[in-house]
Amino acid sequence: MQKQYRLGIPSFITVETEDGSWIGEKNAQKTEKDDVVVTYETTPEAEEVWLTADQTKVKTIKLRWNTPVDKKSWILGGSWERTYGDVDWKGVSGSRFMPWYFLAAVGETVTGYGVKVRPSAMCFWQADTRGITLVMDVRCGGTGVQLSGRKLRAAQIVAMQTEGMGTFESAREFCKVMCTDPICPDYPVYGSNNWYYAYGDSSEKEILQDTDYIVKLTKGVDNPPYMVIDDCWQEHHRLDEYNGGPWKKGNIKFPDMGALAKKLEEKGVRPGIWVRFLLNEEETIPQEWRLSHNDCLDPSHPGVLSYIQEDVERICNWGYTLIKHDFTTFDIFGRWGVEMNPFPTEDGWQFYDTSKTSAEIVTGLYQAIYEVAKKHHTLIMGCNTIGHLGAGLMQLQRTGDDTSGITWERTKKMGVNTLAFCLPQHGTFFDVDADCVGITGSIPWSLNRQWADVVAESGTSLFVSAKPGVLTAEENEELHQIMLKASRQDHHKIPLDWEETDCPEVWGDEEEEVEYNWYEEAGPVAKGNDQLYHAYIPLS
């Protein structure tokens, strides 16, 4: 059973500005001071938080409901932009922050708390045994937003409660409540991406060889695979040094990007391409278009949005029907999602347009990209994008940090975790891409085969980075059968043990259960640690 749930009027509303902060009266729907007014309004669909201000720069709005969370609850939270192998069901912890939404399960009851997609604030929740807190960051970069009298709907708060539905189905249904207008591809998206064996060192010749290989691996399909050209093709590409723009033509190894797209089509694949729109060293770009804290392009500037739309138009005209755009979160905020603890960016900087919130500016960037791509029927895949702001503006999202073609421990941690815990978003926010199967010979096929199989069995997008000549004839046939499944996406297995582990092993549907073994017999290999991650994992 599923029903709408209301948090009701908050116990307290706290407003923080550049001049200080105050706490409103208890159990009040409105608080105001000087020119700042915050109201809490109830509609049939949601509970809405509205903010108005004139000259005062507002930073955050905090709502507190002194409604305890049952101490026996298990909690599952969201992520700022993508997962980093760090999502699982946990006990109640009042110090844990949960971006966008969370679910609380106790007994047969599951309650979801969240904000609808594309809010005007960067939102995170906290839950403890005495109550629930929602913080809405309405800053413009690292400085309070200056609304100049504009009325801003910071967020639409939604909640849902189920009885006897199970945690996974409850999570999926709650995603539908948060996003009522998803856009998804009209056909199963899958195929090849050259990154996890080339790592930026490739050429048109190698791309065409990769294409011949993926065509063999998908022989007999009705739905052609994608061949996605990752970082390596752009004019100013410098291996292990620079992977930005301009995006106007290829380099010496990629002499004609439009001609290459046609060659890919002629070989029987759909052409796809990777870009990093906000890192661009073209000298003619005005300094006014750049962010003050890192020199990346400022998406709040109308000139930048027009410039990026020209890039999208050019790539579409070349003939690429999938654009994977990357790094926008890092290039805007200067942090990976795992470093947003809990705020997305540091204090002290602002966008060109000081009248908009960071959330509005990011959403505006996604909207600008989507508007052009939509005219050409080109799919958009977000990578290092904020899924809660991109839902409804991109057909696919890379929901986890990088897997690996070199070290299994990284693929296990990043890939299996994001597939399981972001799977409720598949088809409800966008189509999920849990990242590639890197086939280089460094990882045993017995492990990579299972990773490829679970992605195909989940019905999400499967991409392989397969170096030709690595697999034996028997292994190629196994991958061929997996790719046939991926071309149809008619299997929809879910993680059945996701409440017990952060790396689910048992996956099933109404017809069968499959158990995978993610663990190397001699134990995991721990090397190459980096401070970004709370657990010791290799980064290669």
Side-chain angles (χ1 to χ4, degrees):
M1 183 184 71
Q2 173 182 334
K3 65 178 181 179
Q4 188 183 56
Y5 181 78
R6 294 285 191 179
L7 276 164
I9 298 170
S11 305
F12 294 99
I13 301 175
T14 303
V15 182
E16 179 190 14
T17 73
E18 291 287 349
D19 302 320
S21 63
W22 80 88
I23 302 174
E25 294 183 8
K26 188 175 183 179
N27 300 324
Q29 288 184 262
K30 181 179 180 180
T31 183
E32 58 184 309
K33 183 178 181 181
D34 300 328
D35 62 336
V36 180
V37 181
V38 175
T39 57
Y40 189 84
E41 301 178 9
T42 299
T43 72
E45 300 298 324
E47 294 171 303
E48 301 182 343
V49 182
W50 291 86
L51 166 68
T52 56
D54 189 12
Q55 296 304 308
T56 300
K57 295 183 177 181
V58 184
K59 298 175 71 175
T60 64
I61 303 167
K62 181 174 72 175
L63 306 183
R64 172 68 174 186
W65 294 266
N66 287 331
T67 306
V69 172
D70 193 309
K71 190 178 294 187
K72 298 178 182 178
S73 297
W74 282 96
I75 307 291
L76 178 68
S79 301
W80 275 123
E81 41 101 7
R82 58 183 174 184
T83 70
Y84 289 81
D86 54 356
V87 185
D88 60 357
W89 288 89
K90 299 179 177 73
V92 178
S93 171
S95 62
R96 186 166 73 247
F97 61 90
M98 298 170 286
W100 310 118
Y101 66 93
F102 74 97
L103 291 97
V106 56
E108 293 289 308
T109 304
V110 181
T111 309
Y113 307 83
V115 296
K116 295 192 75 171
V117 298
R118 303 190 301 281
S120 297
M122 305 290 285
C123 304
F124 68 87
W125 298 81
Q126 291 174 281
D128 57 65
T129 56
R130 300 303 174 96
I132 295 169
T133 304
L134 171 63
V135 176
M136 289 162 282
D137 180 354
V138 294
R139 291 180 300 165
C140 174
T143 306
V145 66
Q146 187 159 16
L147 294 175
S148 301
R150 181 165 68 97
K151 187 175 182 180
L152 177 80
R153 185 172 67 186
Q156 295 173 281
I157 300 168
V158 290
M160 185 195 81
Q161 195 166 80
T162 64
E163 294 284 349
M165 185 179 285
T167 53
F168 188 89
E169 190 59 34
S170 297
R172 183 155 49 194
E173 290 302 311
F174 189 50
C175 285
K176 294 178 184 178
V177 172
M178 289 185 286
C179 182
T180 57
D181 59 350
I183 56 170
C184 295
D186 295 330
Y187 48 85
V189 173
Y190 75 111
S192 178
N193 178 310
N194 71 317
W195 177 253
Y196 290 103
Y197 87 80
Y199 284 106
D201 187 6
S202 191
S203 65
E204 175 176 315
K205 179 181 178 181
E206 289 171 309
I207 292 294
L208 294 175
Q209 290 172 348
D210 293 344
T211 302
D212 291 337
Y213 187 32
I214 196 66
V215 167
K216 290 180 181 178
L217 288 174
T218 56
K219 184 179 180 180
V221 300
D222 297 322
N223 170 34
Y226 269 95
M227 180 64 234
V228 178
I229 306 169
D230 213 288
D231 171 30
C232 66
W233 65 270
Q234 62 271 31
E235 179 184 1
H236 288 199
H237 178 262
R238 299 187 291 277
L239 187 64
D240 299 327
E241 180 186 344
Y242 181 75
N243 66 346
W247 307 99
K248 296 181 177 180
K249 61 181 180 178
N251 55 49
I252 192 171
K253 294 183 178 181
F254 291 87
D256 189 328
M257 297 306 295
L260 177 54
K262 290 179 182 177
K263 291 177 184 177
L264 296 179
E265 280 192 339
E266 289 169 358
K267 284 180 174 290
V269 299
R270 305 178 195 265
I273 200 165
W274 174 97
V275 288
R276 182 178 181 176
F277 286 124
L278 298 183
L279 182 65
N280 195 314
E281 64 183 13
E282 185 173 6
E283 294 180 355
T284 60
I285 294 174
Q287 191 60 37
E288 185 183 68
W289 289 14
R290 297 189 180 277
L291 293 168
S292 61
H293 66 101
N294 64 5
D295 226 29
C296 288
L297 299 189
D298 182 340
S300 78
H301 197 294
V304 170
L305 291 183
S306 296
Y307 182 89
I308 291 172
Q309 287 186 317
E310 290 175 6
D311 285 339
V312 177
E313 184 80 30
R314 184 181 308 109
I315 292 168
C316 291
N317 286 333
W318 283 341
Y320 294 91
T321 58
L322 183 150
I323 297 175
K324 176 183 178 181
H325 68 83
D326 200 353
F327 282 96
T328 53
T329 302
F330 181 79
D331 287 345
I332 291 172
F333 295 109
R335 293 177 178 174
W336 305 107
V338 74
E339 297 174 302
M340 297 176 178
N341 299 309
F343 291 97
T345 192
E346 62 184 2
D347 287 331
W349 67 276
Q350 60 189 14
F351 290 98
Y352 171 83
D353 187 347
T354 60
S355 71
K356 292 181 180 177
T357 68
S358 297
E360 289 181 295
I361 290 164
V362 172
T363 303
L365 171 63
Y366 298 161
Q367 179 72 49
I369 293 170
Y370 174 62
E371 283 176 356
V372 177
K374 183 180 180 182
K375 293 189 303 181
H376 294 270
H377 306 288
T378 295
L379 301 180
I380 295 297
M381 176 189 288
C383 184
N384 186 225
T385 47
I386 298 173
H388 219 79
L389 299 180
L393 298 175
M394 54 184 65
Q395 289 92 349
L396 304 104
Q397 195 205 15
R398 247 280 305 281
T399 55
D401 194 17
D402 290 8
T403 55
S404 177
I406 301 171
T407 308
W408 170 248
E409 185 66 13
R410 186 175 179 89
T411 297
K412 176 182 74 66
K413 181 176 176 63
M414 300 300 180
V416 179
N417 184 265
T418 197
L419 178 65
F421 289 92
C422 291
L423 190 56
Q425 298 174 0
H426 182 63
T428 58
F429 279 16
F430 28 58
D431 273 15
V432 162
D433 169 28
D435 207 11
C436 301
V437 182
I439 303 172
T440 65
S442 297
I443 296 173
W445 172 243
S446 60
L447 296 170
N448 263 337
R449 178 187 54 76
Q450 293 183 94
W451 171 226
D453 188 67
V454 74
V455 174
E457 289 287 347
S458 71
T460 62
S461 296
L462 170 62
F463 285 92
V464 296
S465 290
K467 185 175 183 178
V470 168
L471 299 182
T472 67
E474 181 181 351
E475 291 166 345
N476 273 314
E477 179 55 27
E478 289 179 328
L479 183 54
H480 171 61
Q481 294 302 321
I482 292 171
M483 297 303 288
L484 292 181
K485 282 191 288 187
S487 75
R488 299 187 297 267
Q489 291 182 2
D490 53 7
H491 293 203
H492 300 285
K493 288 184 173 61
I494 65 172
L496 301 180
D497 56 346
W498 79 328
E499 294 175 40
E500 288 85 45
T501 175
D502 63 355
C503 191
E505 300 172 75
V506 183
W507 294 69
D509 53 23
E510 295 178 353
E511 296 180 358
E512 68 169 346
E513 292 184 11
V514 178
E515 183 170 352
Y516 298 94
N517 178 10
W518 306 123
Y519 301 97
E520 295 172 89
E521 194 171 26
V525 178
K527 63 180 180 180
N529 191 30
D530 186 276
Q531 63 182 2
L532 288 182
Y533 304 104
H534 72 277
Y536 196 87
I537 60 162
L539 291 176
S540 297

